[in-house]
Amino acid sequence: MTAPLLSVRNLVKLYGGRGGPFSKAAAAIRAVDDVSFDIASGEVVGLVGESGSGKSTVGRTVLRLNEPTSGAISFDGEELTRATPARMRALRRDMQIIFQDPFSSLNPRARVEEIIGEAVDLRGPLPRGERRASVVRMLEHVSLSADHLRRFPHEFSGGQRQRLSIGRALAARPRLIVADEPVAALDVSIQAQIMNLIAALQRETQVAMLFISHDLGLVEFIADRVMVMYLGRVVETAPTREIYRRPRHPYTRALLAATPSIDPRAARARPRVLLRGEPPSPANPPSGCAFRTRCAFALEACAVARPALRDIGGGHQHACLRDDIDTPRV
Amino acid sequence: MAKHVTQNLALAFLAGIVLLAILAPVLPLPDPIAMDVMNRHGSPSFAHLLGADEFGRDTLSRIAFGARASLAVAFIAAVLAGVAGVALGLVGGYFGGWPEILAMRPLDVILSFPPMLLALLTVALIGPGTETLTVLLAVLFVPTYARVAFGETLSVRHHEYVEAARALGHTAPRILFRTILSNVAGPILVQFSLVVAACILLESGLSFLGLGVTPPESSWGLMIRGARPYMYQAPMQLLWPCLALVLTVYSVNRVCDMLRDRFDPKAAVLWFPAPRKTARAASPAAVPAMGKMLDVRGLVTEIATPRGVIRALDGVSFSVRPGETVALVGESGSGKSMTGLSIMQLLPRRVGRIAGGEILYAREGAERSGASAAAAVDLARIPAARMRAHRGQEIGMVFQEPMACLNPVYTVGFQLTEALRAHGRMTKAEARARAEEELRRVGIPDPARRLNDYPHQLSGGMRQRVAIAIALCGRPRLLIADEPTTALDVTVQAQILVLLDDIRKMQGIGLVFITHNLGVVAEIADRVVVMYCGQVVEDGPVEDIFYRPLHPYTRGLIASVPQDGGSADKSRQLFSIPGTVPNPLDLPPGCRFAPRCPEAIAACTKAPPAMEAAGAGHQVRCIRWREI
């Protein structure tokens, strides 16, 4: 196997915790707690979790938009956590991000030509005409047109703005894109358009992608491999088909079971297994397995030590102590 | 409008003063410092239009040259202060930490001195003069700008477009001056005009005290100083500079308001005229259809926007039976939330109004007996006071964001007991016992302790449960839930859906569930009302809608949801509806979905289609439903 494009090892990101002279020390929030994973060139990795699971923080920290507290991030063999600011700026063009909110991710006072042009500039200065031609090509790629060059973001709908964001990210010709809930703010009918666009462009450019979402259906559609996060930790990772067919971690199962299906008869027929309670605070996670407070299968041993990810073959890893839970997924 | 007249007058006056100041040396004005002792306090004449001052100098000329001094000092000081203040604010706001302390803390020192005092001190030390004055005023106003720029930068910094600029690898100066500066420019411009006005006043004040512009140069403050001893002999000489000063400052402030309106589009709201009492007479004896507790017929709701009036709802009809869950489904702009707000009479005051149709509601038991007119009300027409009595006791409402109905500064217990006591007479102790019971009913563990919690101490799911408890505590018979689970995680969403369904079953209440999520609809609804662009396009039992959808829009929506299926085939596509929702100010003629519809034919764009019955309890607004 060739070396992965992105390799993350023992990534930790704490928020807060340092009390200043005038504020009492608060417990640090462990937003990302010892996370390791690889992304190969051209691979799409889905990162799934609920709010507060730390999935967005992983995405931002990998790009060093947030500084990691500890851990190693290597991109194409180069250690990002040790890169100088100047080197980091140069590296950034290879790693782009698409944000969730199409309204706050575009500069409201910049025209389309400038928004995409800024990213085009990263490949080196171009004469004015060529730069514009390049911007127009990118607009056409995302199903917009040269007519839009002089417009401001507020003149576009949510879906069109997200096309612009995608265009901006791709214009720098990156090798890795972090897509942070890129369609969560869009209407259902527009979501499908944008997902098709992202999938098609990914196939065409073979850019590697970390696709962050709370929507299991979208992740299944686009990802080669899926990671499930709970309270800052990865609890299960497997190839997409495998994880949807044979989820092993009780949390993954609960997540799949809670996702509403659009089949009313099946929805009513299936037993209602509800997960108890809500995720605990990341400032004060439970001892041992973070999920044990809500888990129907928890043992005493679960509270003792934090279970590590275990490989069960076929690229499937999970962090549950028990192997004897085998209720098949409905 | 009167507002525009005064604004234009102010603008014209300001332009006139600025022009007068600039052109003063070339205009045929007498020399402002040439004395003519014979003509002391001379009356207005052709040679001296506004008369002459205590040294016989021409007043008009001195006003013009005084404007030159006042305005030049004010503008230059405002610009200097602006450049320095904005730079400090940007740097402090963007970087935070030490740069913030270095940039912002010294300014607090300046702010802690009264400006006049600081000015007096400096002039006393350095001596008066125009240059000293300008620099002094600039220093005094640096903090004002810096604070505005700092605050704006702080809020802009967290926008994702700034993150995106960082992700593109731009340098900090480029992000500061190209991305952030243009976005904070509006409030800074407003600040600029305020500072100009303040500088003019301060300059005049200091000159009046003899600490600013030095004689024989002219300045309005100096003129007032000169005229003051003779105010009984020659009052007009005092009037002219005062008038110039007052009008200029007023005009600058007025123009400043104008700028603020321009840069804050939210401030400009178009309002409907106050409703007339007789506008909508009650329709005689309208009652809900047999067996229905809520019967909405042809509801039209209008919203005033700065660009025109939008018909947010255009003839919406649907009905709810007791114990039934009706889902209103649609995308943004479909009017689903507007329908809920219209039923509750919670449309924003004078921005939204019901312009037609009926919202017939049958009170307790009336729907069974065939609803006599006495037991039915038209919620679209009853006065606000009567509606208030219905809210909570007949109809409850739950919102997407539970904080919309929870007050952050009161405990859950206080808010719940308030709601309970509003619905019926009871003592505080009784209310507290009831409140505990209500929380237990919505599945909150340890309710007695939770009563003492503030909303921010609860998790999102718990907050939504409290909001549901408050909505239900008046024992309403109909509950309107507007995207109640959209802000929640899927595992918590599942809990809330089960809770709402259990409550509906146990209490037999009608539930109107507003959502964009078809999965949630499939889980909870008995009937589904699909909305598009302010109209109902399909209405039917849940199984009909999901297994036999008739409207191309409904079909498209269902097909757009990614379903589990082998992901081995990487080239597969999600089904998607092409195009976007049309602009509500410019709706297509005929069928509103026609421009995006794969089945549209010429006839679809000719006339708006009507709802047609297509089976038991199934209606569809499409002329081609039989063929496709």
Side-chain angles (χ1 to χ4, degrees), chain A residues 44 50-51 60 64-65 89 92-93 95-97 99-101 104-109 114 118-119 121-122 157 168 172 187-190 192-193 195-196 203 217-218 220-224 240-241 245 251 254-255 258-268 270 272 274-279 294 329, chain B residues 159-161 163-164 166-171 174 178-179 182-183 263 331-332 459-462 489-495 498 501-502 505 516-526 542-543 546-547 557-558 560-568 570-580 596:
Chain A
V44 181
E50 298 182 281
S51 52
R60 282 158 184 260
R64 270 189 69 194
L65 288 173
R89 274 200 301 277
R92 282 196 196 284
R93 87 179 56 154
M95 303 178 277
Q96 287 299 309
I97 183 162
F99 294 100
Q100 169 178 352
D101 184 354
S104 79
S105 58
L106 299 173
N107 184 349
R109 306 239 175 233
E114 182 59 23
E118 271 191 347
D121 291 343
L122 293 178
S157 67
R168 172 178 62 190
D187 277 323
V188 186
S189 72
I190 309 298
Q193 291 176 11
M195 284 305 290
N196 284 335
R203 274 198 299 276
L218 295 177
E220 182 176 16
F221 168 71
I222 202 162
D224 302 310
T240 306
R241 270 166 93 82
R245 299 252 167 101
Y251 177 64
L255 211 51
T259 305
S261 117
I262 58 161
D263 182 343
R265 272 183 214 145
R268 275 148 231 245
R270 80 168 178 233
R272 295 199 298 197
L274 286 181
L275 207 50
R276 298 177 301 210
E278 291 175 55
R294 300 174 77 196
R329 193 193 153 204
Chain B
H159 279 281
E160 282 166 345
Y161 57 82
E163 292 267 283
R166 286 179 61 204
L168 283 173
H170 288 317
T171 57
R174 183 183 155 122
R178 280 192 54 183
T179 308
S182 58
N183 282 292
F263 286 109
E331 300 182 276
S332 45
S459 64
M462 283 299 155
D489 285 324
V490 276
T491 56
V492 182
Q493 165 171 286
Q495 296 167 0
V498 168
D501 205 41
D502 286 348
K505 276 195 209 123
H516 71 283
N517 186 330
L518 286 167
V520 169
V521 174
E523 300 256 331
I524 199 169
D526 298 316
V542 67
E543 296 206 352
F546 281 93
Y547 300 135
L557 269 189
I558 293 171
S560 302
V561 178
Q563 281 298 289
D564 14 50
S567 52
K570 286 289 284 178
S571 65
R572 79 205 168 101
Q573 287 235 318
L574 290 174
F575 178 86
S576 71
I577 303 174
T580 53
R596 302 176 70 189

Side-chain angles (χ1 to χ4, degrees), chain B residues 277-327:
Chain B
K277 284 263 156 35
T278 54
R280 288 168 43 72
S283 57
V287 294
M290 188 76 168
K292 307 287 173 64
M293 66 187 306
L294 180 75
D295 197 349
V296 178
R297 293 179 188 165
L299 183 63
V300 177
T301 294
E302 293 179 335
I303 299 292
T305 72
R307 280 179 294 170
V309 173
I310 289 173
R311 279 206 155 187
L313 298 181
D314 196 2
V316 167
S317 302
F318 69 97
S319 61
V320 184
R321 292 166 189 276
E324 186 182 40
T325 301
V326 174

Side-chain angles (χ1 to χ4, degrees), chain A residues 276-289:
Chain A
R276 298 177 301 210
E278 291 175 55
S281 156
N284 186 21
S287 66
C289 173

Side-chain angles (χ1 to χ4, degrees), chain B residues 213-275:
Chain B
V213 177
T214 41
E217 272 180 81
S218 176
S219 130
W220 294 342
L222 272 180
M223 290 177 74
I224 297 172
R225 174 188 168 91
R228 198 189 56 84
Y230 311 102
M231 58 190 284
Y232 295 109
Q233 294 93 321
M236 298 306 275
Q237 291 306 317
L238 190 60
L239 178 70
W240 296 124
C242 288
L243 208 59
L245 190 63
V246 167
L247 285 178
T248 306
V249 171
Y250 172 79
S251 301
V252 172
N253 283 335
R254 217 45 232 266
V255 171
C256 162
D257 284 350
M258 212 164 84
L259 287 175
R260 198 190 314 243
D261 288 351
R262 176 68 60 85
F263 286 109
D264 187 8
K266 275 168 287 179
V269 182
L270 182 77
W271 279 6
F272 285 124

